[in-house]
């Protein structure tokens, strides 16, 4: 068929997926694997935010930053490293780019294997069943919006001079002085990473706390630890304008001070990629912030159009986008003999923040636990200690752990950690929490000695309650 003929007679599909990131790729390849006719449009690189400018490159850079600490610590263990090690930023960027390129290829194979047609173009909806992409029209029984999100910069005068998180991975030159505006997890991670890599980092947060969505004790503990590593954290401080000066960028702050930097990162939130997608014309309802409004099955206001991941309004994490995609696929293209997957339990999604030290968390914060279960119905167990590793390393870094237990059911409803490998540790405990583990189960569990994680099963006396 020539292109003209195709335009007049759109190709028929079972599923058209807009967006080749975490959620989109998972949905497309699983649906095609079950025999559905599927096409996927991606206007950038396959793998989306997570692979290209999110989780993966960020974690690689976090490992790179961690070496700075490891070199320092090694002396306490008898190692003599000779000359002070120095970072070759160009080499790190090239190594990262090569690995990401490899992953892009894997994503392509994952789609091609089961026969997904990949369209390397921006897609838009022409009407509720028709999608235009790559100069062609497609008529799909079902459409999945998996277009993710993008960084948002507040309209501070001079904001066009500021970078967003997407820009941080290929920065040139390496910024000696970096100001990070914002204190969500992306801001804190970037601050830690660039501090570790050798920049002098100042973090500006207009509110009184960092990491607003996290447990109160975790927030203050990690702020203190990041401060010890050298990040200059300025809370209740707002940037009012910025402009280019002779010595770099000049930032004006609300209290009349000013600050100079080589680069400014605005990590001030993200918005859904739903502009000019034709969604309104198709009748799809959007929230005030532009996210697709979906029900518990990820169905939009138009029953055959679905949205998962950052384009809808739930938790913005890769494993959540994957889980949501699987709910949609199971519903539309069920596997014989298997019951369809349930929507994820959003209350018990474990997550990590790759600051130095890391945060790992699962379940309620203390405030949420008290609000959900009743103020007097929560026991709080906390511990704080110097990890064994730092007895010889010379670092003053400390580890923090906290458990929240529902008094009436004895169920562990919140588990939080700030310390090395917190994400690795909390993942295992999240399984137990999902299975409804009680404090009695924790108490009966034998610890692994000597580890930091064993402290989670040896906290006997509540600090509160
Ligand atoms: P995305 O992965 O963003 O994919 C959407 C894709 O759609 C993009 O590739 C985009 O180009 C494409 N697209 C958009 N519009 C169109 C269109 N009209 N036509 C065609 N293609 C289109 N999550 C974690 O779980 N752990 C982490 O450690 C973590 N770290 C992060 C660090 C950073 C700096 C950032 C920014 C995010 C991080 N995240 C992390 C979040 C995670 O990356 C996202 O939640 C996840 O990628 C969402 O997947 P998605 O499929 O919804 O969207």
């Amino acid at each position: 068929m020539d292109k003209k003929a195709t335009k007049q007679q759109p190709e028929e599909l079972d599923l058209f997926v807009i967006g080749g990131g975490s959620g989109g790729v998972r949905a497309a390849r699983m649906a095609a694997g079950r025999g559905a006719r599927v096409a996927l449009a991606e206007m950038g690189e396959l793998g989306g935010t997570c692979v290209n400018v999110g989780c993966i490159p960020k974690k690689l850079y976090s490992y790179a930053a961690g070496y700075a600490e490891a070199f320092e610590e090694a002396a306490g263990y008898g190692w003599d490293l000779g000359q002070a090690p120095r970072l070759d930023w160009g080499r790190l960027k090239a190594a990262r780019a090569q690995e990401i390129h490899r992953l892009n290829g894997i994503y392509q194979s994952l789609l091609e294997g089961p026969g997904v047609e990949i369209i390397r173009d921006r897609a838009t909806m022409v009407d509720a069943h028709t999608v235009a992409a790559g100069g062609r029209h497609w008529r799909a029984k079902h459409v999945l919006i998996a277009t993710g999100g993008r960084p948002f910069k507040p309209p501070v005068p001079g904001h066009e001079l500021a970078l967003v998180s997407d820009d941080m991975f290929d920065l040139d030159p390496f910024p000696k002085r970096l100001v990070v505006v914002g204190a969500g997890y992306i801001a804190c991670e970037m601050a830690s990473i660039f501090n570790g890599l050798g920049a002098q980092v100042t973090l500006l947060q207009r509110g009184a706390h960092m990491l607003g969505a996290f447990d109160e004790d975790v927030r203050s503990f990690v702020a203190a630890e990041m401060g010890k590593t050298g990040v200059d954290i300025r809370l209740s401080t707002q940037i009012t304008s910025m402009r280019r000066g002779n010595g770099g960028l000049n930032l004006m702050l609300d209290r009349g001070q000013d600050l100079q930097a080589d680069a400014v990162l605005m990590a001030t939130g993200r918005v859904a990629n739903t502009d000019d997608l034709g969604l309104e014309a198709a009748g799809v309802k959007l929230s005030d912030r532009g996210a697709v409004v979906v029900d518990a099955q990820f169905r939009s206001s138009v029953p055959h159009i679905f949205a998962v991941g950052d384009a809808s309004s739930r938790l913005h994490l890769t494993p959540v986008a994957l889980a949501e995609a699987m709910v949609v696929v199971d519903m539309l293209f069920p596997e014989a003999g298997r019951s369809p997957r349930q929507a994820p339990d959003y209350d018990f999604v474990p997550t990590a923040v790759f600051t130095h030290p890391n945060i790992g968390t699962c379940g309620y914060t203390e405030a949420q636990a008290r609000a959900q279960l009743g103020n007097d119905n929560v026991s709080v167990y906390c511990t704080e200690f110097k990890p064994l590793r730092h007895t010889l390393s010379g670092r003053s870094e400390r580890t923090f752990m906290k458990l929240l237990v529902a008094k009436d059911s004895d169920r562990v409803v919140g588990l939080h950690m700030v310390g090395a490998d917190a994400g690795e540790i909390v993942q295992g405990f999240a399984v137990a929490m999902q299975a409804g583990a009680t404090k009695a189960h924790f108490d009966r569990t034998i610890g692994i000695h000597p580890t930091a994680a064993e402290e989670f099963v040896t906290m006997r006396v509540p600090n509160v309650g």
Side-chain angles (χ1 to χ4, degrees):
M1 255 190 285
D2 67 27
K3 276 192 178 174
K4 211 169 155 206
T6 318
K7 253 187 183 165
Q8 282 160 355
Q9 249 189 0
E11 278 184 48
E12 298 282 336
L13 290 172
D14 295 311
L15 177 67
F16 195 105
V17 178
I18 308 184
S22 309
V25 169
R26 173 61 64 91
R29 73 184 181 89
M30 296 308 285
R34 294 180 188 182
R37 292 164 306 167
V38 184
L40 175 145
E42 171 53 61
M43 64 184 190
E45 296 295 339
L46 288 171
T49 303
C50 177
V51 169
N52 295 289
V53 286
C55 333
I56 302 297
K58 168 205 79 186
K59 186 81 187 279
L60 293 173
Y61 282 9
S62 178
Y63 284 133
Y67 280 99
E69 291 172 353
F71 293 137
E72 272 178 40
E73 291 171 12
Y77 282 89
W79 288 97
D80 187 353
L81 294 182
Q83 260 189 348
R86 62 166 268 293
L87 175 75
D88 185 336
W89 173 234
R91 216 162 82 214
L92 172 61
K93 286 192 293 185
R96 179 219 88 235
Q98 195 180 359
E99 172 57 13
I100 300 308
H101 184 66
R102 189 185 70 85
L103 293 175
N104 296 144
I106 289 179
Y107 273 73
Q108 180 159 340
S109 315
L110 285 173
L111 290 169
E112 284 171 350
V116 175
E117 169 142 19
I118 305 170
I119 304 140
R120 307 300 296 249
D121 191 19
R122 184 168 199 279
T124 49
M125 299 212 54
V126 177
D127 60 43
H129 277 285
T130 313
V131 183
R136 289 152 77 185
H137 282 67
W138 310 78
R139 202 171 158 74
K141 260 195 217 149
H142 308 285
V143 177
L144 178 66
I145 310 297
T147 48
R150 62 179 188 280
F152 163 82
K153 285 198 247 181
V156 174
H159 69 277
E160 60 285 348
L161 298 171
L163 306 165
V164 294
S165 62
D166 295 1
D167 305 318
M168 299 307 285
F169 301 102
D170 264 322
L171 263 187
D172 188 30
F174 184 85
K176 288 205 179 79
R177 300 161 301 173
L178 173 69
V179 170
V180 178
V181 182
Y185 84 92
I186 294 174
C188 292
E189 288 180 335
M190 289 292 182
S192 262
I193 288 169
F194 279 85
N195 174 61
L197 294 178
Q200 184 191 318
V201 178
T202 307
L203 185 141
L204 306 177
Q205 156 68 336
R206 66 180 176 178
H209 308 284
M210 300 185 352
L211 294 166
F214 286 76
D215 182 86
E216 304 73 358
D217 289 331
V218 166
R219 296 194 304 223
S220 49
F221 195 88
V222 81
E225 288 301 323
M226 281 174 64
K228 281 192 218 165
T229 66
V231 179
D232 177 5
I233 298 171
R234 303 194 192 176
L235 300 175
S236 307
T237 304
Q238 214 162 334
I239 174 173
T240 53
S241 68
M242 55 187 291
R243 60 183 170 77
R244 200 175 291 288
N246 288 337
L249 297 170
N250 294 335
L251 280 72
M252 291 306 298
L253 307 181
D254 54 350
R255 294 180 189 161
Q257 319 110 300
D258 59 2
L259 200 58
Q260 282 207 329
D262 301 308
V264 175
L265 163 65
M266 283 200 172
T268 37
R270 293 176 64 82
V271 290
N273 277 331
T274 52
D275 302 348
D276 307 321
L277 253 186
L279 291 178
E280 289 91 339
V284 174
K285 240 178 149 176
L286 301 179
S287 74
D288 300 345
R289 296 180 60 89
V292 180
V293 177
V294 291
D295 66 11
Q297 304 292 297
F298 311 104
R299 213 181 269 280
S300 75
S301 53
V302 179
H304 66 275
I305 302 179
F306 297 79
V308 295
D310 292 6
S312 67
S313 45
R314 313 270 172 126
L315 276 180
H316 292 177
L317 292 168
T318 281
V320 172
L322 301 180
E324 293 177 350
M326 286 315 302
V327 173
V328 174
V329 172
D330 275 4
M331 187 172 40
L332 299 181
F333 311 105
E335 253 186 323
R338 280 215 175 186
S339 38
R341 255 163 274 225
Q342 304 288 313
D345 176 356
Y346 292 97
D347 278 344
F348 288 94
V349 172
T351 183
V353 181
F354 299 101
T355 40
H356 293 244
N358 290 182
I359 300 171
T361 179
C362 183
Y364 297 145
T365 66
E366 186 174 337
Q368 284 169 341
R370 291 190 186 286
Q372 297 282 332
L373 307 172
N375 196 31
D376 298 330
N377 190 21
V378 181
S379 295
V380 182
Y381 299 77
C382 289
T383 182
E384 191 209 306
F385 55 94
K386 181 174 198 163
L388 180 61
R389 179 188 180 104
H390 296 315
T391 53
L392 297 194
S393 75
R395 293 191 90 78
S396 61
E397 182 181 304
R398 295 182 72 77
T399 292
F400 173 76
M401 289 175 176
K402 180 170 182 177
L403 284 181
L404 301 163
V405 178
K407 277 191 194 169
D408 53 1
S409 63
D410 198 39
R411 188 167 173 196
V412 177
V413 293
L415 183 144
H416 308 276
M417 173 173 177
V418 182
D421 300 321
E424 304 290 344
I425 291 169
V426 169
Q427 179 70 82
F429 282 107
V431 178
M433 290 172 73
Q434 191 54 240
T438 60
K439 182 65 170 64
H441 288 123
F442 274 57
D443 293 344
R444 270 209 301 276
T445 304
I446 304 291
I448 301 176
H449 186 71
T451 62
E454 69 179 318
E455 296 292 326
F456 272 129
V457 296
T458 55
M459 288 190 248
R460 292 282 182 262
V461 184
N463 302 64
V464 184

